[in-house]
Amino acid sequence: MAGLIPKSFIHDLLDRADIVEVVDSRVPLKKAGKNHQACCPFHNEKTPSFTVSADKQFYHCFGCGEHGNAIDFLINYDGLSFPDAVEELAAMLGLEVPREASENPQKDAQKRQQAESDYEVMQQATRFFQHQLKHHARAGEVIDYLKGRGLNGETVKQFQIGYAPSEWDALKQTFARNPQTTQQLLDLKLLNRSDNGRVYDFFRDRVMFPIHDRRGRVIGFGGRILEGDGPKYLNSPETRVFHKGSELYGFYQVRQAHRQPDVIVIVEGYMDVVALAQHGINYAVASLGTATTTEQLQRLFRTTHQVVCCYDGDRAGRDAAWRALENALPLLKDGLDLRFLFLPEGEDPDSIVQAEGAKGFEARLQQAQPFTEYFFEHLQQGIDVKGDAGRSQLLQRAKPLIERIASDFYRDTLMERLAEKLRREKSQLQTHFQRPQQSRYQPEQIQMTPMRRAIALLVQFPQLGQQLPLNAELKRLGMPGIEVFLTLHQQTHEQAFTTAQLLETWRESAHYKHLQKLASWQHAMDEETAQQELNDIIVFLIDKYVEQRADELLEKEKSQELSKAERKEYQLLIQHLRQKKT
């Protein structure tokens, strides 16, 4: 999105947002004194070391060192860019994000208008397909088809299901009014161009399933054929608004239905998701015509602790399941649960739920295979583990996969089962395996000089800035950090800040990361003690400035005569220093 976001808006956004609610919407928190705690979502741990402060509107992990405000959390947890994190936080609060003009406002405006126009065109196409489902000459046949699949009008409306007409240019005739709109429709893959230059509708005679992003905007389509030749499903190719490796069909609807779902089921087809929702199983998503990617799995594991991959029992389904397992291995932390459910050949979730109902399908989910079982079931295919050659082959297959797992529990579990199958002791296998390189966080030992203490206290207790007078003359003090301290004091003296808001004003500064570390400095001071400490440091800085100024005048006197005003100033400075010593 083009155009800078006004700093004043970011300040107000952080003022309205509660970091406890933001974090708790993704990671369940527990009250711990004044703060809230959880096991850190950014590294694998068993004892909570992730702390969220409502007073400071700041989070910090003592295990891995991650820290920041609500925007930082969304950047790190949801994998968003800074502008997208601001957009996400604003959307959570029901706010629109304003934009400032930049150095090239015309180009920025064009980009912004292009993005807005793209999403609007995708929404118009959705409404077009919905309209055709009601009014096209074949509408009755298509509706009968959907009813035959067990769908009612409410479900069709919820998922915005429509119909792409069988004509070659129905959508083109409706929307391609000029060369510019035609090109936009081509870019968004709503139209296609043949080798001889003919332009025609990309989707024809198909039931249309709009794909939504996490904000509910339509970004692509999946089309299911009704009859005739062609692929069963046709998906939107990659476009500037649609990246299928990072999106999941039905994910938006799942999040609308559940704040924190206990489980999410991955299925293969759009109709599977819709049919399950029709029967009240509204926690299913589908990967978009590809194997479930690491990015998709990461999003799911950030939403729920249990993911069940439900695939057809045929070769293609089992291949897709294994690719999903391989992609999940680096993500499996302690507390996360990955399971696999293989349906009888020729069946899919749609047919099972139609035949057995929601209870029958959910009973099957309860019998889903833990990934630790499926892991060896797959690896042992074609291997005779009764002989040494087969055992050696199993070790060779399992070793690189087990080494990719971050979870101590799952890695140890797989090692134990592998040892059983190889008829070895677990300790005998340890020499064959490399443990994953987990970086141990060592808090940087910062020497807390008086200046750093003063800066840290202002960052952690911004309200103190309004209670202490400004000392503009200190800007001439030749001490590292004085400019940062005086700027912070000026900011906090003139305006009320939380720690999060204050740090946000320094995000583009070279001092930002250092200030974040000082915001996490541990001490046992309450606000009253911190105020006295800060006051004492300011007195110390004033004394240092007095010494510096006296030395400057004394040095000047060696080369030239001081003015009358300078001599008087020097006498006052010396008098001040003598009084300090008595």
PDB file of all heavy atoms in Angstrom, residues 325-351:
ATOM      1  N   LEU A 325       3.477 -33.389   6.008  1.00  0.00           N
ATOM      2  CA  LEU A 325       4.251 -33.766   7.196  1.00  0.00           C
ATOM      3  C   LEU A 325       5.677 -33.219   7.101  1.00  0.00           C
ATOM      4  O   LEU A 325       6.205 -32.657   8.071  1.00  0.00           O
ATOM      5  CB  LEU A 325       4.273 -35.286   7.347  1.00  0.00           C
ATOM      6  CG  LEU A 325       4.941 -35.822   8.624  1.00  0.00           C
ATOM      7  CD1 LEU A 325       4.267 -37.121   9.073  1.00  0.00           C
ATOM      8  CD2 LEU A 325       6.433 -36.076   8.431  1.00  0.00           C
ATOM      9  N   GLU A 326       6.299 -33.365   5.944  1.00  0.00           N
ATOM     10  CA  GLU A 326       7.665 -32.856   5.780  1.00  0.00           C
ATOM     11  C   GLU A 326       7.720 -31.346   6.008  1.00  0.00           C
ATOM     12  O   GLU A 326       8.649 -30.833   6.638  1.00  0.00           O
ATOM     13  CB  GLU A 326       8.182 -33.188   4.376  1.00  0.00           C
ATOM     14  CG  GLU A 326       8.513 -34.653   4.171  1.00  0.00           C
ATOM     15  CD  GLU A 326       9.124 -34.917   2.807  1.00  0.00           C
ATOM     16  OE1 GLU A 326       8.445 -34.624   1.796  1.00  0.00           O
ATOM     17  OE2 GLU A 326      10.266 -35.393   2.742  1.00  0.00           O
ATOM     18  N   ASN A 327       6.714 -30.627   5.495  1.00  0.00           N
ATOM     19  CA  ASN A 327       6.687 -29.173   5.658  1.00  0.00           C
ATOM     20  C   ASN A 327       6.409 -28.760   7.099  1.00  0.00           C
ATOM     21  O   ASN A 327       6.777 -27.657   7.517  1.00  0.00           O
ATOM     22  CB  ASN A 327       5.628 -28.556   4.736  1.00  0.00           C
ATOM     23  CG  ASN A 327       6.028 -28.608   3.275  1.00  0.00           C
ATOM     24  OD1 ASN A 327       7.215 -28.625   2.951  1.00  0.00           O
ATOM     25  ND2 ASN A 327       5.053 -28.637   2.382  1.00  0.00           N
ATOM     26  N   ALA A 328       5.760 -29.649   7.858  1.00  0.00           N
ATOM     27  CA  ALA A 328       5.394 -29.313   9.238  1.00  0.00           C
ATOM     28  C   ALA A 328       6.521 -29.564  10.233  1.00  0.00           C
ATOM     29  O   ALA A 328       6.521 -28.977  11.322  1.00  0.00           O
ATOM     30  CB  ALA A 328       4.158 -30.112   9.659  1.00  0.00           C
ATOM     31  N   LEU A 329       7.473 -30.426   9.904  1.00  0.00           N
ATOM     32  CA  LEU A 329       8.487 -30.840  10.882  1.00  0.00           C
ATOM     33  C   LEU A 329       9.198 -29.673  11.575  1.00  0.00           C
ATOM     34  O   LEU A 329       9.332 -29.675  12.802  1.00  0.00           O
ATOM     35  CB  LEU A 329       9.514 -31.769  10.213  1.00  0.00           C
ATOM     36  CG  LEU A 329       9.003 -33.159   9.814  1.00  0.00           C
ATOM     37  CD1 LEU A 329      10.103 -33.947   9.108  1.00  0.00           C
ATOM     38  CD2 LEU A 329       8.499 -33.925  11.032  1.00  0.00           C
ATOM     39  N   PRO A 330       9.662 -28.646  10.851  1.00  0.00           N
ATOM     40  CA  PRO A 330      10.365 -27.556  11.547  1.00  0.00           C
ATOM     41  C   PRO A 330       9.445 -26.715  12.430  1.00  0.00           C
ATOM     42  O   PRO A 330       9.928 -25.932  13.250  1.00  0.00           O
ATOM     43  CB  PRO A 330      10.928 -26.704  10.394  1.00  0.00           C
ATOM     44  CG  PRO A 330      10.828 -27.551   9.173  1.00  0.00           C
ATOM     45  CD  PRO A 330       9.666 -28.449   9.394  1.00  0.00           C
ATOM     46  N   LEU A 331       8.128 -26.864  12.252  1.00  0.00           N
ATOM     47  CA  LEU A 331       7.170 -26.039  12.997  1.00  0.00           C
ATOM     48  C   LEU A 331       6.689 -26.712  14.273  1.00  0.00           C
ATOM     49  O   LEU A 331       6.078 -26.058  15.126  1.00  0.00           O
ATOM     50  CB  LEU A 331       5.948 -25.733  12.120  1.00  0.00           C
ATOM     51  CG  LEU A 331       6.217 -25.113  10.750  1.00  0.00           C
ATOM     52  CD1 LEU A 331       4.912 -24.990   9.976  1.00  0.00           C
ATOM     53  CD2 LEU A 331       6.887 -23.757  10.888  1.00  0.00           C
ATOM     54  N   LEU A 332       6.939 -28.011  14.402  1.00  0.00           N
ATOM     55  CA  LEU A 332       6.350 -28.771  15.505  1.00  0.00           C
ATOM     56  C   LEU A 332       7.072 -28.485  16.816  1.00  0.00           C
ATOM     57  O   LEU A 332       8.125 -29.046  17.100  1.00  0.00           O
ATOM     58  CB  LEU A 332       6.379 -30.266  15.184  1.00  0.00           C
ATOM     59  CG  LEU A 332       5.367 -30.703  14.116  1.00  0.00           C
ATOM     60  CD1 LEU A 332       5.604 -32.140  13.712  1.00  0.00           C
ATOM     61  CD2 LEU A 332       3.939 -30.521  14.629  1.00  0.00           C
ATOM     62  N   LYS A 333       6.477 -27.607  17.594  1.00  0.00           N
ATOM     63  CA  LYS A 333       6.977 -27.312  18.933  1.00  0.00           C
ATOM     64  C   LYS A 333       6.195 -28.151  19.936  1.00  0.00           C
ATOM     65  O   LYS A 333       5.132 -28.694  19.627  1.00  0.00           O
ATOM     66  CB  LYS A 333       6.798 -25.823  19.253  1.00  0.00           C
ATOM     67  CG  LYS A 333       7.509 -24.886  18.294  1.00  0.00           C
ATOM     68  CD  LYS A 333       7.462 -23.454  18.788  1.00  0.00           C
ATOM     69  CE  LYS A 333       6.042 -22.953  18.919  1.00  0.00           C
ATOM     70  NZ  LYS A 333       5.988 -21.540  19.354  1.00  0.00           N
ATOM     71  N   ASP A 334       6.711 -28.243  21.146  1.00  0.00           N
ATOM     72  CA  ASP A 334       5.982 -28.940  22.205  1.00  0.00           C
ATOM     73  C   ASP A 334       4.610 -28.292  22.374  1.00  0.00           C
ATOM     74  O   ASP A 334       4.484 -27.067  22.398  1.00  0.00           O
ATOM     75  CB  ASP A 334       6.748 -28.857  23.525  1.00  0.00           C
ATOM     76  CG  ASP A 334       8.045 -29.655  23.485  1.00  0.00           C
ATOM     77  OD1 ASP A 334       8.198 -30.477  22.566  1.00  0.00           O
ATOM     78  OD2 ASP A 334       8.903 -29.447  24.362  1.00  0.00           O
ATOM     79  N   GLY A 335       3.586 -29.115  22.488  1.00  0.00           N
ATOM     80  CA  GLY A 335       2.229 -28.606  22.675  1.00  0.00           C
ATOM     81  C   GLY A 335       1.418 -28.556  21.396  1.00  0.00           C
ATOM     82  O   GLY A 335       0.200 -28.391  21.444  1.00  0.00           O
ATOM     83  N   LEU A 336       2.071 -28.697  20.234  1.00  0.00           N
ATOM     84  CA  LEU A 336       1.353 -28.723  18.962  1.00  0.00           C
ATOM     85  C   LEU A 336       1.106 -30.170  18.551  1.00  0.00           C
ATOM     86  O   LEU A 336       1.929 -31.048  18.796  1.00  0.00           O
ATOM     87  CB  LEU A 336       2.146 -27.995  17.876  1.00  0.00           C
ATOM     88  CG  LEU A 336       2.397 -26.503  18.113  1.00  0.00           C
ATOM     89  CD1 LEU A 336       3.172 -25.907  16.946  1.00  0.00           C
ATOM     90  CD2 LEU A 336       1.088 -25.753  18.323  1.00  0.00           C
ATOM     91  N   ASP A 337      -0.033 -30.395  17.914  1.00  0.00           N
ATOM     92  CA  ASP A 337      -0.460 -31.760  17.599  1.00  0.00           C
ATOM     93  C   ASP A 337      -0.835 -31.844  16.125  1.00  0.00           C
ATOM     94  O   ASP A 337      -1.743 -31.144  15.672  1.00  0.00           O
ATOM     95  CB  ASP A 337      -1.660 -32.124  18.483  1.00  0.00           C
ATOM     96  CG  ASP A 337      -2.085 -33.579  18.330  1.00  0.00           C
ATOM     97  OD1 ASP A 337      -1.356 -34.344  17.670  1.00  0.00           O
ATOM     98  OD2 ASP A 337      -3.143 -33.938  18.869  1.00  0.00           O
ATOM     99  N   LEU A 338      -0.138 -32.686  15.375  1.00  0.00           N
ATOM    100  CA  LEU A 338      -0.434 -32.909  13.963  1.00  0.00           C
ATOM    101  C   LEU A 338      -0.906 -34.342  13.786  1.00  0.00           C
ATOM    102  O   LEU A 338      -0.225 -35.281  14.213  1.00  0.00           O
ATOM    103  CB  LEU A 338       0.813 -32.653  13.108  1.00  0.00           C
ATOM    104  CG  LEU A 338       0.674 -32.903  11.602  1.00  0.00           C
ATOM    105  CD1 LEU A 338      -0.309 -31.921  10.976  1.00  0.00           C
ATOM    106  CD2 LEU A 338       2.039 -32.799  10.916  1.00  0.00           C
ATOM    107  N   ARG A 339      -2.065 -34.509  13.144  1.00  0.00           N
ATOM    108  CA  ARG A 339      -2.634 -35.843  12.945  1.00  0.00           C
ATOM    109  C   ARG A 339      -3.066 -36.028  11.496  1.00  0.00           C
ATOM    110  O   ARG A 339      -3.249 -35.051  10.764  1.00  0.00           O
ATOM    111  CB  ARG A 339      -3.829 -36.067  13.887  1.00  0.00           C
ATOM    112  CG  ARG A 339      -3.421 -36.118  15.356  1.00  0.00           C
ATOM    113  CD  ARG A 339      -4.603 -36.216  16.304  1.00  0.00           C
ATOM    114  NE  ARG A 339      -4.126 -36.367  17.671  1.00  0.00           N
ATOM    115  CZ  ARG A 339      -3.995 -37.530  18.299  1.00  0.00           C
ATOM    116  NH1 ARG A 339      -4.337 -38.655  17.677  1.00  0.00           N
ATOM    117  NH2 ARG A 339      -3.534 -37.587  19.531  1.00  0.00           N
ATOM    118  N   PHE A 340      -3.271 -37.296  11.121  1.00  0.00           N
ATOM    119  CA  PHE A 340      -3.644 -37.627   9.750  1.00  0.00           C
ATOM    120  C   PHE A 340      -4.835 -38.581   9.747  1.00  0.00           C
ATOM    121  O   PHE A 340      -4.867 -39.551  10.504  1.00  0.00           O
ATOM    122  CB  PHE A 340      -2.460 -38.268   9.014  1.00  0.00           C
ATOM    123  CG  PHE A 340      -1.332 -37.310   8.780  1.00  0.00           C
ATOM    124  CD1 PHE A 340      -0.360 -37.115   9.750  1.00  0.00           C
ATOM    125  CD2 PHE A 340      -1.256 -36.573   7.611  1.00  0.00           C
ATOM    126  CE1 PHE A 340       0.675 -36.217   9.557  1.00  0.00           C
ATOM    127  CE2 PHE A 340      -0.227 -35.666   7.405  1.00  0.00           C
ATOM    128  CZ  PHE A 340       0.740 -35.491   8.379  1.00  0.00           C
ATOM    129  N   LEU A 341      -5.803 -38.251   8.895  1.00  0.00           N
ATOM    130  CA  LEU A 341      -6.978 -39.097   8.715  1.00  0.00           C
ATOM    131  C   LEU A 341      -7.086 -39.437   7.236  1.00  0.00           C
ATOM    132  O   LEU A 341      -7.219 -38.545   6.393  1.00  0.00           O
ATOM    133  CB  LEU A 341      -8.241 -38.362   9.183  1.00  0.00           C
ATOM    134  CG  LEU A 341      -9.573 -39.074   8.903  1.00  0.00           C
ATOM    135  CD1 LEU A 341      -9.638 -40.416   9.634  1.00  0.00           C
ATOM    136  CD2 LEU A 341     -10.746 -38.186   9.305  1.00  0.00           C
ATOM    137  N   PHE A 342      -7.004 -40.732   6.923  1.00  0.00           N
ATOM    138  CA  PHE A 342      -7.127 -41.183   5.538  1.00  0.00           C
ATOM    139  C   PHE A 342      -8.489 -41.845   5.354  1.00  0.00           C
ATOM    140  O   PHE A 342      -8.845 -42.778   6.084  1.00  0.00           O
ATOM    141  CB  PHE A 342      -6.005 -42.159   5.188  1.00  0.00           C
ATOM    142  CG  PHE A 342      -4.643 -41.520   5.226  1.00  0.00           C
ATOM    143  CD1 PHE A 342      -3.795 -41.732   6.308  1.00  0.00           C
ATOM    144  CD2 PHE A 342      -4.223 -40.686   4.204  1.00  0.00           C
ATOM    145  CE1 PHE A 342      -2.550 -41.138   6.358  1.00  0.00           C
ATOM    146  CE2 PHE A 342      -2.973 -40.080   4.245  1.00  0.00           C
ATOM    147  CZ  PHE A 342      -2.136 -40.307   5.327  1.00  0.00           C
ATOM    148  N   LEU A 343      -9.243 -41.336   4.388  1.00  0.00           N
ATOM    149  CA  LEU A 343     -10.581 -41.852   4.125  1.00  0.00           C
ATOM    150  C   LEU A 343     -10.504 -43.032   3.164  1.00  0.00           C
ATOM    151  O   LEU A 343      -9.534 -43.172   2.410  1.00  0.00           O
ATOM    152  CB  LEU A 343     -11.450 -40.741   3.535  1.00  0.00           C
ATOM    153  CG  LEU A 343     -11.591 -39.487   4.418  1.00  0.00           C
ATOM    154  CD1 LEU A 343     -12.433 -38.436   3.709  1.00  0.00           C
ATOM    155  CD2 LEU A 343     -12.199 -39.840   5.767  1.00  0.00           C
ATOM    156  N   PRO A 344     -11.528 -43.892   3.167  1.00  0.00           N
ATOM    157  CA  PRO A 344     -11.535 -45.029   2.235  1.00  0.00           C
ATOM    158  C   PRO A 344     -11.416 -44.548   0.788  1.00  0.00           C
ATOM    159  O   PRO A 344     -11.907 -43.465   0.442  1.00  0.00           O
ATOM    160  CB  PRO A 344     -12.897 -45.680   2.490  1.00  0.00           C
ATOM    161  CG  PRO A 344     -13.272 -45.256   3.876  1.00  0.00           C
ATOM    162  CD  PRO A 344     -12.704 -43.882   4.047  1.00  0.00           C
ATOM    163  N   GLU A 345     -10.747 -45.337  -0.041  1.00  0.00           N
ATOM    164  CA  GLU A 345     -10.579 -44.942  -1.446  1.00  0.00           C
ATOM    165  C   GLU A 345     -11.933 -44.703  -2.088  1.00  0.00           C
ATOM    166  O   GLU A 345     -12.887 -45.449  -1.879  1.00  0.00           O
ATOM    167  CB  GLU A 345      -9.807 -46.022  -2.204  1.00  0.00           C
ATOM    168  CG  GLU A 345      -8.326 -46.047  -1.846  1.00  0.00           C
ATOM    169  CD  GLU A 345      -7.492 -46.730  -2.918  1.00  0.00           C
ATOM    170  OE1 GLU A 345      -7.812 -46.565  -4.115  1.00  0.00           O
ATOM    171  OE2 GLU A 345      -6.526 -47.414  -2.553  1.00  0.00           O
ATOM    172  N   GLY A 346     -12.000 -43.634  -2.860  1.00  0.00           N
ATOM    173  CA  GLY A 346     -13.249 -43.273  -3.515  1.00  0.00           C
ATOM    174  C   GLY A 346     -14.130 -42.369  -2.676  1.00  0.00           C
ATOM    175  O   GLY A 346     -15.159 -41.885  -3.156  1.00  0.00           O
ATOM    176  N   GLU A 347     -13.740 -42.142  -1.416  1.00  0.00           N
ATOM    177  CA  GLU A 347     -14.519 -41.269  -0.532  1.00  0.00           C
ATOM    178  C   GLU A 347     -13.752 -39.971  -0.284  1.00  0.00           C
ATOM    179  O   GLU A 347     -12.531 -39.910  -0.417  1.00  0.00           O
ATOM    180  CB  GLU A 347     -14.777 -41.957   0.815  1.00  0.00           C
ATOM    181  CG  GLU A 347     -15.532 -43.269   0.720  1.00  0.00           C
ATOM    182  CD  GLU A 347     -17.017 -43.083   0.437  1.00  0.00           C
ATOM    183  OE1 GLU A 347     -17.475 -41.921   0.353  1.00  0.00           O
ATOM    184  OE2 GLU A 347     -17.719 -44.097   0.299  1.00  0.00           O
ATOM    185  N   ASP A 348     -14.493 -38.934   0.072  1.00  0.00           N
ATOM    186  CA  ASP A 348     -13.892 -37.668   0.477  1.00  0.00           C
ATOM    187  C   ASP A 348     -14.722 -37.109   1.629  1.00  0.00           C
ATOM    188  O   ASP A 348     -15.781 -37.665   1.961  1.00  0.00           O
ATOM    189  CB  ASP A 348     -13.804 -36.686  -0.700  1.00  0.00           C
ATOM    190  CG  ASP A 348     -15.143 -36.444  -1.382  1.00  0.00           C
ATOM    191  OD1 ASP A 348     -16.184 -36.511  -0.691  1.00  0.00           O
ATOM    192  OD2 ASP A 348     -15.160 -36.170  -2.594  1.00  0.00           O
ATOM    193  N   PRO A 349     -14.284 -36.043   2.283  1.00  0.00           N
ATOM    194  CA  PRO A 349     -15.058 -35.514   3.417  1.00  0.00           C
ATOM    195  C   PRO A 349     -16.503 -35.195   3.052  1.00  0.00           C
ATOM    196  O   PRO A 349     -17.413 -35.387   3.867  1.00  0.00           O
ATOM    197  CB  PRO A 349     -14.280 -34.253   3.800  1.00  0.00           C
ATOM    198  CG  PRO A 349     -12.873 -34.550   3.398  1.00  0.00           C
ATOM    199  CD  PRO A 349     -12.995 -35.337   2.130  1.00  0.00           C
ATOM    200  N   ASP A 350     -16.706 -34.706   1.831  1.00  0.00           N
ATOM    201  CA  ASP A 350     -18.055 -34.384   1.378  1.00  0.00           C
ATOM    202  C   ASP A 350     -18.943 -35.629   1.399  1.00  0.00           C
ATOM    203  O   ASP A 350     -20.027 -35.639   1.994  1.00  0.00           O
ATOM    204  CB  ASP A 350     -17.964 -33.794  -0.038  1.00  0.00           C
ATOM    205  CG  ASP A 350     -19.327 -33.456  -0.628  1.00  0.00           C
ATOM    206  OD1 ASP A 350     -20.313 -33.406   0.134  1.00  0.00           O
ATOM    207  OD2 ASP A 350     -19.399 -33.234  -1.846  1.00  0.00           O
ATOM    208  N   SER A 351     -18.482 -36.712   0.782  1.00  0.00           N
ATOM    209  CA  SER A 351     -19.305 -37.924   0.707  1.00  0.00           C
ATOM    210  C   SER A 351     -19.481 -38.567   2.079  1.00  0.00           C
ATOM    211  O   SER A 351     -20.555 -39.087   2.402  1.00  0.00           O
ATOM    212  CB  SER A 351     -18.682 -38.928  -0.269  1.00  0.00           C
ATOM    213  OG  SER A 351     -17.401 -39.348   0.177  1.00  0.00           O
TER     214      SER A 351
END
